[in-house]
Amino acid sequence: METECRAAPARARDERRPRVLGMSRRAVVLIVSAVAVAAFKLWLTSGDDIVASATPYDQQRFAEMAKSLIDGNWLGNYDHLTLIREPIYPIWIWFVHAIGVRLHEGMEWLVIFSALAFSSSLLSAGVSTWFCVATNATIVLLPYGTWLNCDLRSETLYAPLLLFSFAALVRVLVVDRFASRARNALLAGLALALVWHTRDESFLVAILLATLGAILVRRATRSGSPLRDAIIRAVALVGLAIVPIACTHLAIRAVNAARYGEFIVTEPESTSFLAAKKALFRIRPDTSRRLVALPAASRRRAYAVSPSLAETQDLVEGKLGVKWTKSCCRAVDVCDDIGDAWFFWCLREAASAVGHHRSASEAARYYDAVANELNAACDDGRLPSRLVLNAHLSPDYAAYLPCLGSSFLRVLGVMWQPSPLPSRDGPGLAAGVRRLFDTVARRARPRTIYPSIRVRGWTFDLDDPVVKVMLRGPDGRELAATSQFTDRPEIAQRYAEVGVRDVPVPIGFEIAFEESGRDAAKGAANLVFVKASGAESPGRLVVREWDWTPFSFGIDSIEGLGSSSPLCRGVQAALVSAHVAVAIGVSWAAVAAAAILLLLRRRVPRVADDFGPAILILVGVAVASRLALLALIDASSFPGNQPRYVYPVMALYLAGAALLAQRGGTALWDFVRRRRAQRFGASAATKCK
């Protein structure tokens, strides 16, 4: 009897307690703590703002789409870049701008409310108050959010929208009345519709809804409902969630059809472009190579049989190909060809240059023609062909599937060890781009200063030794410099292992700059390497390595890229260290808890309204499916181990792992208590005899 009382959910006991302002005491505790955490987070990020970046395919593209919305021109006048991104994130930027709020502040408030919504849904499911308070604080203070909210990327919206959708999905499981479940299913569908059209990951939405349906059926049948009735109710709830998803999808397609003449959401996901991709992937190369499913030799064969594709040959194999090959080389070290993830952007740019992107309809006809010509050549034997299951994945499965395990570990490593992103505008940014970001994000002041920055790294040039590293202002004035180099034998050894000899050992540097009032309006600090000959090479202030042998350099750490307040910077650094410890600790605790629950599975009492297992299944499916996708992308085409990719599920991962650890600990403690009680009872019975 005692065990059953302890196992009863906290929400059932809470119903018997007095209420405060119509809310349970547990809800009041959660809200009060959430207000305190929100105030702390807003103070912590008070000196941060959106960073401007000259990236025509990413941050700058979102800014241009938002500016067009602000000007009342939907996504802008048509060109090959107009329809490359989903529209929900630019619409969010437009909304925040319309209500007169800075975009960075709007993002922070959205994260705060999404964390509270998710934590309150756990509270309604009977999860303990302290756990919900800790979950809310962890989500709000994630280092990923603190850094990424300064970046104009769709993942910053994707993450809170996913939390909102999970808050509604949990309530679909928790509430008793079907009408309340239906309302929450509609809310979940609306949030998932926004998730889908923020980043095109419809498979995740489908997996979540299928998992929800299976859980609903399982719980209903275990409580005594007939299987047929359980399936009908589950299908009805999932169907209600699909309604807003379908309506949103059709609405975006309809607006694009009216504005651009094509019933699509984005061009890269359009039927015609995917058909062209699949047709190109059908060409079987002479040898399989990871990351390059369409090598130069295969492209030459394609040009010979496809007059439409041949129009782009001079550009793809010429200056555009060189540009995209350099980008590929920096990302994945494929420097002698165009990787898959870069080739199709190169193709679109080339198609636009030869005049096939004057309208969306003309572009669709062009890609249809390419697909038809290549498919005909594959069908009649003029091109060697192979089976292509999906246009999004390289068909060279044997080349990249063996790397899937290592890619998964690479992705998982990013969840445990976040790396900072620049929170100031990069060097050499055009004034027009800066004004664009100032307008759409309502930036409080141009983010052009690196206050109190300290950079550590290494550099060498085998032909022209580096003698000085400096930070230079845009006015040409030297802000800080060093000519002292420390020994970095591990770098020299690493290069020697790949055949690069004579790398010097004293190549490490550390350079620092303290902002003063006189420097506050001088603009972005530029990293410059000065050679022995007097030549200069610029460098980017980003934590990563650039191998441009004979000249190479790496940035190991950048300190002070947060708020201009030294105290805020110190707190942010402490939160990073705490996150690493918490993430690793919770992960191992979850593994131990899973083992405990497996061993005690027949001895843990079951409670009818225990929603913990259902929540764990939902969270586990979401996290596992996204990590598996990122690992597949990392193995097959593009680096998937980037903080912005794992950020959307980082909060769910920590909450799920902590919940599993809590349940394992509770089960172990109850088991120990029962054994002790049994021994005490047996001992008392013996004495009575």
Side-chain angles (χ1 to χ4, degrees), residues 275-439:
K277 286 182 67 175
K278 192 170 183 180
L280 284 163
F281 275 150
R282 282 189 68 187
I283 305 172
R284 187 179 71 250
D286 296 329
T287 57
S288 295
R289 181 182 181 185
R290 179 172 169 258
L291 307 177
V292 186
L294 194 66
S298 295
R299 297 197 299 270
R300 286 193 293 270
R301 293 172 179 168
Y303 298 136
V305 299
S306 173
S308 298
L309 186 65
E311 296 178 39
T312 65
Q313 180 174 3
D314 291 341
L315 291 171
V316 172
E317 308 304 328
K319 61 180 182 180
L320 286 183
V322 171
K323 181 186 79 170
W324 287 100
T325 299
K326 288 181 178 179
S327 177
C328 174
C329 181
R330 289 192 293 269
V332 295
D333 293 329
V334 174
C335 303
D336 58 345
D337 212 330
I338 311 176
D340 299 338
W342 293 263
F343 170 75
F344 291 103
W345 293 117
C346 180
L347 175 62
R348 287 181 56 81
E349 188 173 353
S352 175
V354 298
H356 289 298
H357 274 273
R358 286 187 287 264
S359 70
S361 299
E362 183 178 354
R365 289 192 296 271
Y366 172 73
Y367 294 117
D368 281 335
V370 171
N372 292 335
E373 291 164 0
L374 292 176
N375 283 327
C378 289
D379 292 340
D380 63 22
R382 286 177 292 157
L383 285 176
S385 63
R386 57 186 169 180
L387 176 65
V388 179
L389 299 177
N390 189 291
H392 296 93
L393 281 178
S394 163
D396 286 334
Y397 308 112
Y400 64 81
L401 286 181
C403 303
L404 202 55
S406 59
S407 290
F408 184 82
L409 293 178
R410 277 162 47 88
V411 172
L412 203 60
V414 178
M415 301 184 74
W416 295 337
Q417 184 62 60
S419 57
L421 300 171
S423 62
R424 295 297 185 270
D425 295 351
L429 191 67
V433 175
R434 184 171 289 119
R435 285 194 299 270
L436 172 66
F437 280 78
D438 290 343
T439 299

Side-chain angles (χ1 to χ4, degrees), residues 452-463:
S452 306
I453 182 175
R454 184 180 301 276
V455 183
R456 296 184 179 91
W458 54 268
T459 181
F460 67 86
D461 191 322
L462 299 179
D463 296 338

Side-chain angles (χ1 to χ4, degrees), residues 117-182:
F118 179 67
S119 301
S120 64
S121 72
L122 295 181
L123 196 73
S124 67
V127 179
S128 65
T129 306
W130 72 264
F131 184 92
C132 296
V133 169
T135 298
N136 178 80
T138 301
I139 295 172
V140 173
L141 299 177
L142 270 180
Y144 294 89
T146 302
W147 293 326
L148 287 170
N149 282 345
C150 294
D151 207 7
L152 208 68
R153 289 189 182 274
S154 59
E155 288 84 2
T156 58
L157 179 62
Y158 187 105
L161 287 178
L162 192 60
L163 287 175
F164 278 124
S165 65
F166 261 83
L169 290 173
V170 170
R171 291 185 184 277
V172 170
L173 297 173
V174 170
V175 296
D176 298 323
R177 296 175 59 246
F178 184 80
S180 298
R181 285 188 170 188

Side-chain angles (χ1 to χ4, degrees), residues 677-689:
Q678 291 171 359
R679 290 176 181 175
F680 177 78
S683 176
T686 301
K687 290 180 179 179
C688 289
K689 290 180 180 179

Side-chain angles (χ1 to χ4, degrees), residues 582-595:
V582 168
I584 295 176
V586 167
S587 299
W588 282 112
V591 172

Side-chain angles (χ1 to χ4, degrees), residues 21 32 87 132 140 179 227 476 488 535 580 587 598 629 682:
L21 298 177
V32 170
C132 296
V140 173
L227 178 61
R488 296 293 298 272
V580 174
S587 299
L598 185 63
L629 171 66

